[in-house]
Amino acid sequence: MSSYLQTSIEYLKGVGPARAELLKKELQIFTFNDLLFHLPYRHVDRSKIYKVNELRAEMPYVQVKGIVSNLRLIGKNRAQRLVADLRDETGVMELVWFQGIKWVRESVLPGKIYLAFGKPAAFSGTINIAHPTLDDADEAAVKKYLHIMPMYNVTEKMKARGLDSRAIMKMMNLLLADPKLEIPENLPEPILVQNKLVQRHWALLQIHFPKDDKSLAAATFRLKFEEFFFIQLKLLRFKVRREQLHNGIELKTIGEYFNTFFKYNLPFELTNAQKRVLKEIRHDVKTGIQMNRLVQGDVGSGKTVVALMTMLMAIDNGYQSCMMAPTEILAGQHYETIVGMLRDMPVKVRLLRGSTLTKERKVILKELLEGEIHILIGTHALIEEVVQFKNLGLAIIDEQHRFGVEQRARLWKKNVKPPHVLVMTATPIPRTLAMTLYGDLDTSLIDELPAGRKPIQTILRYDTHRLSVNGLMKQEIKKGRQIYIVYPLIAESEKLDYKNLVDGYEQMCRDFPEPEYQVCILHGKMKADEKTREMTRFMKGQAQIMVATTVIEVGVNVPNATVMIIESAQKFGLSQLHQLRGRVGRGGDQSFCVLMADVKLSNDAKQRLNTMVETNDGFKIAEADLKLRGPGDLEGTVQSGILDLRIGDLSKDAPIVALARLNAQDILRQDPNLQHPNHLALSQYFEAYQRTAKWGRIS
Ligand code: ADP
Ligand code: MG
């Protein structure tokens, strides 16, 4: 930690209290170090001077040199603008200002040679640059600006007070030229050598003011590596600690409960993937080390039964289990499924959720503490302080992406010895993202669907095809099948979305009239008991059509449903569409997913919908999603601060993530507690890193 880097930003030359205030408020730049890590979002090449006749409107930022003359005001009132000619030996172009006209008129000298820099555009056949940056074109000045120039993000407020990208660049220049500035290396020498990484100080110099493209690439690689390396070190260190503690619960035996279930109750043959994952879990829970395992399996791959059988292992060894689901409906459904599967086995299962009545809740809490209840199923309600177990041995979290890491940790505290934790996610996440989000967990993969499933047929239909879609619906209902119709619900247009949903419901009631047809409806604004009633109607087959919002997205299991119609499908993200589609195709019958879309689709939406039509493979879809949307938008990742990356990009940097992880693993293998003298700088940096939320806040 270098104290000079921690110097408050107002002590930088040219900053002062007012600008410092702005930097703190707008960009959270408090210290020299923070400024250093305000990295350019891109660079523009100012090493080249273009000729006027070379300019094209499609070009990015360019620089031209010529005589500026003929300043004139054009237009009236709000349309008023200042225009000037710029002439070189090849032709004439225009410079245009819409704002700050007075200032430009006062400071620009007609007849003088300037360097103009900006984005070219074409207006009625003439090339122009709006709001160019103008510099004196005398020899010395030209030299100063001939390099690859950094561009920095600034806010509108900052711009309004003259603190623009260029001003930041000047500050950065001053700071980096400061002889007192010293940026210590935080990676051990062998890592630098093996991975051909440049020194940290040099990397920071070059990321702002690169000599050339090669230096910029080297600096970028180094800083990305560093960012991913410390994330991985943190996750893996966490894992090492856990393994060192060796204070997990030992589930030694497979006993009565597990065996009885396996012999008499299991309604189907397990898939090989399910068997393998159960073995992996079994291997973990008997070691005495706390298990932290992620089970990934596409929708419909049969995670619930794996969860149940793991819970039976806990019961066999005298421990309680709990299973947490993200919604009331899903928790209720898990409860039904599990009670159903256990049939007449003497296992006491209870359901606890927000809507559980106080009286019942009291009984549950008491029986939980006394150890009478074997399995508790519920929602977030499970992690509340008041929920105390006698001896919790296993906690299962279904659809983890809806829960924060924080909540996961709270479950550990439900027993003196931390319970084993099994996280199950149905949203396949790309490997890079999995490594970053769940890098501290061991992973298991259920990469096989139960036999006899027919792949779901996905079709794209435009609103004009509604009649033929109704035809498909009638045909399926005739066969005794059921249908979901899902409407989007987007916060910004909630009112309109609800209207669409209700209109759609009414239309369905008209097109599919009682008593032949029964239509039910489900959305987030309904009361819990109404929701349960409607859901039950559908689950019992009393209604053939369910009109709903995405409340049904996660985990709902009605094997008799064979058609999923998604309205305004273009408004959904890929992984959400895949989740929704996973609600059908759960029985032996051919199922269909109909994507209803507007005729006018953006390219992006077209790509998404076509991906859905082309593949049923959740992992391919997840990769496509990451490419199309970037990780920031992936569901459930937003709240996880870990994805707050400064320079790394999970959709592009998979190889660097893997490399960083390997290196972090190596270091911890040699030196699990980071105590080796060669790792002093590393461990000091790492300690500070762990204390702060953001990389770069430390030095
Ligand atoms: P998910 O992985 O999406 O949570 P579920 O656990 O809900 O999937 O299982 C989907 C359906 O497949 C359920 O109806 C379940 O009973 C059934 N199922 C699970 N495993 C098998 C299997 N090995 N063979 C046949 N059906 C299975
Ligand atoms: Mg499930």
PDB file of all heavy atoms in Angstrom, residues 129 194 212:
ATOM      1  N   ILE A 129     -17.694  18.592 -39.186  1.00  0.00           N
ATOM      2  CA  ILE A 129     -17.460  18.059 -37.840  1.00  0.00           C
ATOM      3  C   ILE A 129     -18.176  18.981 -36.873  1.00  0.00           C
ATOM      4  O   ILE A 129     -17.939  20.194 -36.885  1.00  0.00           O
ATOM      5  CB  ILE A 129     -15.956  18.004 -37.491  1.00  0.00           C
ATOM      6  CG1 ILE A 129     -15.236  16.970 -38.381  1.00  0.00           C
ATOM      7  CG2 ILE A 129     -15.753  17.655 -36.017  1.00  0.00           C
ATOM      8  CD1 ILE A 129     -13.746  16.866 -38.122  1.00  0.00           C
ATOM      9  N   GLN A 194       5.755 -16.191 -16.302  1.00  0.00           N
ATOM     10  CA  GLN A 194       5.046 -17.288 -16.964  1.00  0.00           C
ATOM     11  C   GLN A 194       3.953 -16.806 -17.908  1.00  0.00           C
ATOM     12  O   GLN A 194       3.706 -17.407 -18.946  1.00  0.00           O
ATOM     13  CB  GLN A 194       4.380 -18.186 -15.921  1.00  0.00           C
ATOM     14  CG  GLN A 194       5.284 -19.261 -15.372  1.00  0.00           C
ATOM     15  CD  GLN A 194       4.765 -19.753 -14.033  1.00  0.00           C
ATOM     16  OE1 GLN A 194       3.548 -19.809 -13.824  1.00  0.00           O
ATOM     17  NE2 GLN A 194       5.670 -20.074 -13.144  1.00  0.00           N
ATOM     18  N   ASP A 212       1.778   2.656 -28.600  1.00  0.00           N
ATOM     19  CA  ASP A 212       1.247   2.113 -29.846  1.00  0.00           C
ATOM     20  C   ASP A 212       0.224   1.023 -29.496  1.00  0.00           C
ATOM     21  O   ASP A 212       0.010   0.730 -28.324  1.00  0.00           O
ATOM     22  CB  ASP A 212       2.371   1.534 -30.711  1.00  0.00           C
ATOM     23  CG  ASP A 212       3.278   0.616 -29.906  1.00  0.00           C
ATOM     24  OD1 ASP A 212       2.759  -0.062 -28.993  1.00  0.00           O
ATOM     25  OD2 ASP A 212       4.490   0.575 -30.175  1.00  0.00           O
TER      26      ASP A 212
END
